């Protein structure tokens, strides 16, 4: 549909600074983002129908890459957030009080950021709320968590982004990030307050800077139902992509040599899970498995003897490789079968690097994972061209299809943790899991890796398309929920007996039944657990808005 010819529905912002979806110049992605936000406020049922029925089409607008731009401009977009800000200068010592005063009385899923590392865009302070909002929408769209029980949170502890915090429109705390002790006390107060307020709530840490992310995860992972999406969710999707690629090449995981550009949350998380998987699948020793993973940071290859290494890099500091300052040197020294980018350095997978990978491997596996698109290490087109179409590719943000000389379209798979976290998180919520064990990410990855059909694999699709995400999530949820209960960490989903769960596809049916869906057009807007959708202040539609036909619902999306 052409939004530029549509009239703005009543109650909706017609435009953003004159370039909106209804302007004659045609809508920009950020306008579509704003339009969807407005639709959510005006008519939540319509919004969730759009999201659930068109997830793949809408994904680039509510999520990467557009959410990156939205976070960069959040302070000047006139956004009214539905999330909860907790400010270190005003709410310290009063977080529980704030939570108890919040209009949602039942919350089961929280995505929380402190805004320090938003995608590959750096410290965006309070603007990071946009990422918590975007991720929480995917819990509903992809895994059917009732939106009434979802809460995006931003811990506003200040920002070291001086330009942003001095901007006249910036609404966050206008101070530098605090010292670690003060920061840790604030996070601790938040964790305890959430537990006191809502004991069975899953907490997803999102886009924290890596100096805090690893420490926070280590501190809370065994005592709280929580996980870090950038470390653990990313690990699972990347392992899934790799295992699916190996279904194409027919090679063993333990025979791979994997080189990472970037040695932060994503890379360390992926390398840890891959090596763990090697020990489980191919029965090799943990040390030998880690030897197959090589990380590069901004100072060069991570090798034994370097004295400047953060804690999370040390397991991957090997003695049997030379110090390499550049990626091409490292490719020549290590001869990787797999090249993974999680550096947020655009164009770092140069023609020389990609061609070297193509010389070393019949089917080079190349995953530029950095987000948003502007930070990707290379594009699909480049990887395709420089390997003569032999690449097995997956990227963090979406790229266009390539049509080859025979007219066959090749769709670049998206290796984004959005395939994983909604289902893993919903499984933890459904079973009231005490915590989120590391093993769950392995279970989820193996499940997803097996899903693409041989026909899909032959066209480079490592996973089924995101348009099937609810089916994908149901399978992952079922396996994860089963695992949690079998390990004694949680309980059977409410209303399901052991006998029902063990019969036929019992766990899958239970997962499916737990998925909330928006009400059909014309029916009363009620949620599956009986809570009226309109009972929550944040989701209150404008009077009569439900009757307004949405142009988004009338046919093809943009
Ligand atoms: N596809 C997906 O699902 C996900 C993608 N990501 C993306 O991965 C990127 C990195 O995220 P994190 O690991 O969490 O960040 P991080 O800040 O923890 O790590 C970044 C790493 O890149 C390294 N680096 C920076 N400049 C470099 C250079 N010139 N050469 C080599 N290494 C360099 C840094 O030293 C650091 O080790 C981001 O763009 C993020 O959006 C992160 C999580 C999930
Ligand atoms: C996808 C994601 O979590 C990130 O880029 O940070
Ligand atoms: Mg993230």
């Amino acid at each position: 549909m052409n939004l530029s010819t549509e009239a703005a529905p009543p109650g909706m912002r017609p435009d953003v600074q004159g370039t909106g979806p209804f302007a004659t110049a045609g809508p920009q992605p950020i306008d579509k983002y704003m339009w969807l936000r407005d639709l959510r406020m005006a008519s939540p049922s319509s919004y969730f129908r759009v999201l659930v029925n068109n997830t793949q089409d809408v994904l680039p607008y509510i999520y990467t890459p557009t959410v990156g731009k939205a976070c960069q401009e959040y302070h000047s977009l006139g956004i009214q957030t539905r999330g909860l800000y907790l400010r270190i200068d005003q709410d310290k010592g009063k977080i529980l009080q704030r939570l108890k005063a919040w209009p949602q009385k039942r919350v089961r899923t929280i995505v929380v950021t402190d805004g320090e590392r938003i995608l590959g865009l750096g410290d965006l302070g309070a603007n990071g709320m946009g990422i918590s909002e975007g991720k929480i929408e995917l819990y509903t769209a992809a895994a059917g968590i009732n939106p009434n029980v979802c809460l995006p949170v931003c811990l506003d502890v200040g920002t070291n982004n001086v330009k942003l915090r001095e901007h006249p429109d910036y609404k966050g705390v206008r101070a530098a990030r605090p010292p670690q002790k003060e920061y840790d006390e604030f996070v601790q107060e938040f964790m305890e307050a959430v537990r006191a307020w809502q004991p069975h709530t899953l907490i997803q840490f999102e886009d924290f800077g890596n100096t805090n992310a690893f420490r926070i995860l280590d501190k809370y992972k065994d005592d709280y139902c929580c996980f870090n999406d950038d470390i653990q969710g990313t690990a699972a999707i990347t392992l899934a992509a790799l295992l699916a690629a190996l279904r194409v090449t027919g090679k063993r995981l333990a025979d791979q040599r994997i080189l990472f550009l970037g040695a932060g949350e994503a890379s360390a998380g992926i390398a840890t899970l891959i090596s763990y998987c090697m020990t489980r699948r191919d029965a090799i020793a943990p040390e030998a498995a880690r030897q197959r993973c090589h990380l590069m940071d901004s100072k060069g290859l991570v090798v034994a003897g370097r004295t400047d290494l953060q804690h999370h890099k040390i397991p991957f500091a090997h003695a049997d490789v030379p110090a390499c300052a550049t990626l091409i040197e490292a490719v020549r020294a290590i001869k990787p079968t797999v090249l993974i980018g999680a550096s947020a350095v655009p164009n770092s997978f140069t023609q020389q690097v990609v061609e070297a990978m193509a010389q070393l491997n019949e089917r080079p596996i190349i995953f530029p994972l950095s987000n948003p698109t502007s930070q990707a290490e290379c594009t699909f087109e480049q990887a395709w061209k420089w390997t003569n179409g032999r690449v097995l590719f997956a990227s963090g943000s979406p790229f266009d299809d390539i049509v080859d000389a025979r007219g066959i379209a090749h769709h670049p798979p998206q290796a984004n943790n959005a395939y994983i976290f909604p289902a893993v998180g919903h499984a933890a919520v459904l079973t009231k899991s005490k915590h989120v064990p590391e093993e769950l990410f392995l279970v989820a990855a193996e499940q997803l890796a097996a899903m693409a059909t041989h026909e899909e694999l032959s066209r480079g699709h490592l996973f089924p398309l995101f348009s099937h995400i609810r089916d994908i999530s149901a399978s992952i949820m079922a396996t994860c929920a089963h695992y949690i209960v079998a390990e004694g960490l949680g309980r059977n989903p409410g209303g399901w007996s052991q006998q029902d769960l063990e019969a036929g596809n019992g766990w899958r049916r239970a997962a499916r039944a737990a998925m909330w869906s928006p009400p059909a057009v014309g029916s009363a807007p009620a949620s599956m657990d009986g809570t009226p959708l309109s009972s929550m202040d944040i989701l209150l539609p404008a009077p009569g808005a439900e009757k307004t036909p949405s142009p988004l619902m009338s046919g093809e999306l943009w």
Side-chain angles (χ1 to χ4, degrees):
M1 76 184 273
N2 179 0
L3 281 176
S4 65
T5 60
E6 297 286 340
M12 291 189 192
R13 181 189 295 112
D15 201 352
V16 183
Q17 296 172 348
T19 58
F22 309 99
T24 46
Q28 298 299 303
I30 193 70
D31 304 317
K32 295 172 183 174
Y33 172 87
M34 293 302 290
W35 201 94
L36 284 159
R37 287 190 75 106
D38 286 347
L39 181 63
R40 194 192 198 285
M41 289 295 278
S43 174
S45 301
S46 302
Y47 169 79
F48 282 111
R49 278 194 293 272
V50 169
L51 226 60
V52 171
N53 298 330
N54 308 275
T55 317
Q56 174 135 357
D57 291 340
V58 173
L59 196 65
Y61 304 108
I62 61 164
Y63 192 50
T64 183
T66 312
V67 75
K69 186 153 182 68
C71 287
Q72 287 175 307
E73 297 179 3
Y74 203 83
H75 56 289
S76 52
L77 285 170
I79 284 173
Q80 197 194 339
T81 184
R82 62 188 174 279
L84 170 67
Y85 273 113
L86 293 168
R87 293 175 58 117
I88 200 163
D89 59 346
Q90 292 174 3
D91 299 317
K92 197 166 178 218
K94 298 182 211 146
I95 296 182
L96 184 56
Q97 207 178 316
R98 284 288 320 273
L99 294 177
K100 284 184 171 168
W102 187 249
Q104 278 165 286
K105 295 304 165 212
R106 187 165 169 264
V107 167
R108 289 292 169 268
T109 310
I110 286 176
V111 175
V112 59
T113 188
D114 72 352
E116 191 175 0
R117 194 286 279 142
I118 296 299
L119 305 175
L121 302 169
D123 185 348
L124 297 181
N127 285 13
M129 176 59 93
I131 204 74
S132 292
E133 292 172 330
K135 292 270 179 179
I136 210 103
E137 297 300 58
L138 291 178
Y139 267 108
T140 301
I145 292 212
N146 186 322
N148 284 355
V149 300
C150 292
L151 176 62
V153 175
C154 179
L155 299 179
D156 183 1
V157 297
T159 173
N160 293 344
N161 182 336
V162 178
K163 197 170 161 213
L164 179 64
R165 78 174 186 239
E166 287 179 354
H167 193 286
D169 294 334
Y170 185 63
K171 292 169 197 71
V173 173
R174 291 178 188 269
R177 288 180 180 273
Q180 187 180 316
K181 184 169 175 298
E182 197 185 333
Y183 174 90
D184 282 355
E185 284 168 3
F186 194 58
V187 173
Q188 175 78 16
E189 186 189 340
F190 169 71
M191 297 300 286
E192 287 174 6
V194 169
R195 173 172 280 173
W197 179 51
Q198 305 277 338
H200 294 296
T201 295
L202 167 82
I203 299 175
Q204 170 170 328
F205 299 112
E206 191 67 46
D207 289 8
F208 283 66
N210 71 34
T211 47
N212 294 319
F214 289 102
R215 190 180 68 259
I216 291 174
L217 180 62
D218 276 353
K219 186 166 172 188
Y220 296 109
K221 70 179 170 25
D222 296 331
D223 294 333
Y224 282 79
C225 184
C226 68
F227 68 95
N228 181 301
D229 186 36
D230 300 294
I231 301 171
Q232 298 171 290
T234 311
I237 182 63
T238 311
L239 173 61
L242 178 52
L243 294 177
L246 297 179
R247 289 175 61 201
V248 177
T249 63
K251 303 264 171 63
R252 261 188 359 145
L253 181 63
D255 292 335
Q256 305 309 304
R257 286 179 306 280
I258 303 149
L259 176 59
F260 294 81
L261 188 71
E265 294 168 63
S267 295
I270 301 164
T272 304
L273 191 67
I274 287 179
S275 15
Y276 180 51
C277 186
M278 282 179 185
T279 65
R280 297 290 300 267
R281 282 199 160 208
D282 300 326
I284 63 167
E287 181 55 29
R290 286 192 291 272
Q291 293 275 351
R292 277 131 167 104
C293 296
H294 301 270
L295 275 51
M296 277 198 93
D297 64 15
S298 56
K299 306 213 176 76
L301 196 60
V302 169
V303 288
R306 263 182 66 177
T307 54
D308 57 350
L309 296 178
Q310 287 166 281
H311 191 255
H312 61 269
K313 300 176 188 173
I314 291 171
F316 303 100
H318 307 310
D320 60 347
V321 281
C324 298
T326 64
L327 182 58
I328 188 68
E329 278 176 59
V331 168
R332 287 179 183 142
I334 290 162
K335 302 190 173 27
T337 56
V338 182
L339 180 62
I340 294 176
S343 63
V345 182
N347 307 316
S348 45
F349 292 177
T350 58
Q351 182 167 358
Q352 190 184 31
V353 164
V354 174
E355 284 178 354
M357 285 295 293
Q359 269 168 17
L360 290 164
N361 302 285
E362 176 56 31
R363 299 299 307 268
I365 298 172
I366 301 181
F367 298 160
L369 299 182
S370 292
N371 298 315
T373 320
S374 59
Q375 309 308 111
E377 285 80 6
C378 69
T379 65
F380 180 41
E381 197 180 346
Q382 289 169 333
W384 179 270
K385 198 164 75 188
W386 296 335
T387 61
N388 291 321
R390 286 186 285 127
V391 69
L392 285 162
F393 179 93
S395 55
S397 293
F399 284 107
D400 289 339
D401 290 2
I402 286 177
V403 180
D404 69 19
R406 294 165 298 162
I408 298 170
H410 298 264
H411 178 74
Q414 206 173 332
N416 192 296
N417 49 33
Y419 266 102
I420 296 288
F421 74 80
V424 170
H426 199 169
V429 169
L430 189 62
T431 55
K432 296 193 167 63
S433 190
K434 289 187 195 124
H435 60 101
V436 183
E438 202 66 54
E439 191 84 16
L440 220 49
F441 295 93
L442 179 61
V443 165
E446 293 195 314
Q447 179 84 32
L448 179 57
M451 280 185 196
T453 62
H454 289 292
E455 204 265 325
E456 284 170 327
L457 285 177
S458 73
R459 283 182 289 125
H461 297 201
L462 301 177
F463 322 115
L465 294 179
F466 209 77
S467 46
H468 301 292
I469 190 64
R470 282 210 162 194
D471 283 335
I472 297 168
S473 292
S475 298
I476 298 175
M477 264 175 77
T479 312
C480 290
H482 190 177
Y483 178 87
I484 290 168
V485 174
E487 291 296 305
L489 296 171
R491 49 182 103 147
N492 285 343
W496 289 79
S497 69
Q498 195 61 29
Q499 202 182 2
D500 289 341
L501 289 166
E502 279 166 13
N505 267 337
W507 280 99
R508 200 172 191 288
R509 283 187 288 117
R512 260 291 180 195
M515 286 187 176
W516 175 90
S517 288
V521 182
S523 68
S527 62
M528 267 185 54
D529 71 351
T531 319
L533 196 62
S534 57
S535 73
M536 213 189 77
D537 299 5
I538 302 164
L539 294 175
L540 264 183
E546 212 48 57
K547 297 185 200 85
T548 307
S550 156
L552 278 174
M553 299 304 299
S554 62
E556 190 196 339
L557 284 172
W558 34 74

